[in-house]
Amino acid sequence: MRKKLIAGNWKMNGLKADAKALAADIFAKATPNMPFDMLVCPPMNVLGFVAELPHSGVFVGAQDVAETIKSNGAFTGDVSAAMVKDLGATWTLVGHSERRQYHGETNAIVKQKALNAINEGLTVVICIGETLAERETGKAVEVVRAQTRECVPNEATAENCVIAYEPVWAIGTGKVPTTADVAEIHAAVRDEIAKVLGTETADKMRILYGGSVKPENAKELLNVENVDGALIGGASLKADSFFAIAEAVK
Ligand code: 13P
């Protein structure tokens, strides 16, 4: 049985006061024996600060790590996996579509980042997903299969790696794929993981859905076969809506 994971990506939101209030709200609501895992990924400016708050029952992660295998050096603006770990975080996202779109990150870069995270002992959430043009031209399955194949390092296990399927056109738009489309993609991703890492690992690895997940659609999406949790943007910025989504896991 794969335990569901409810993950919040705060993106570039979180001045100190806001982050403090949001983290405090979420950590106060969390209880030790929740029937799901929970993760929050604050921006780098408040990551250390959030990770230092008592957060029993909730994992804290970064939104990205540096591509270089070096843990320090002349890489202006970058933050290495070792630095993320040093801040007290135990997880990180990599390959979010906003990184791919605005920073030109390729599958090869995402794979290197994932490996850097794993080598540092972090658990990594590798984000994949097709664009609207790819969906409309019938290429969605092919694209996410290639992303899975090209981004998942051989060192990945079901314990240190999670995949998040986030169709680019569903992020922040209020649009969600049909449950049949989600099921089709998640099955394809699991099949592709099996090719890279074997069926045993593929059966255990969690595959999240992300893109306009809200309390209103959470139950439907979380009940789709092979959907092992959600990666949430906007609705993770309020403890109430974040937990309302988590409540859909029963
Ligand atoms: P929204 O939930 O705001 O659509 O964002 C999804 C996302 O990109 C999470 O990483």
Side-chain angles (χ1 to χ4, degrees), residues 126-141:
I126 300 175
C127 305
I128 58 171
E130 83 283 1
T131 63
L132 184 59
E134 288 161 347
R135 164 66 57 183
E136 284 178 345
T137 50
K139 296 203 183 91
V141 171

Side-chain angles (χ1 to χ4, degrees), residues 66-143:
E67 181 193 354
T68 174
I69 57 165
K70 297 191 178 158
S71 51
N72 61 283
F75 298 91
T76 302
D78 279 337
V79 178
S80 67
M83 289 168 158
V84 162
K85 186 175 158 191
D86 185 54
L87 286 172
T90 52
W91 287 60
T92 189
L93 311 179
V94 295
H96 192 280
S97 68
E98 288 147 18
R99 302 289 319 166
R100 295 174 186 262
Q101 195 179 345
Y102 305 134
H103 298 271
E105 293 192 6
T106 60
N107 290 340
I109 292 174
V110 174
K111 183 178 187 177
Q112 184 61 54
K113 289 184 169 198
L115 183 59
N116 295 347
I118 289 170
N119 283 341
E120 208 48 64
L122 300 173
T123 304
V124 66
V125 180
I126 300 175
C127 305
I128 58 171
E130 83 283 1
T131 63
L132 184 59
E134 288 161 347
R135 164 66 57 183
E136 284 178 345
T137 50
K139 296 203 183 91
V141 171
E142 184 190 319
V143 166

Side-chain angles (χ1 to χ4, degrees), residues 5 91 123-126 157-158 160-164 205-208:
L5 170 64
W91 287 60
T123 304
V124 66
V125 180
I126 300 175
T157 67
N160 67 21
C161 182
V162 171
I163 308 293
M205 191 173 284
R206 292 183 282 191
I207 307 172
L208 313 183

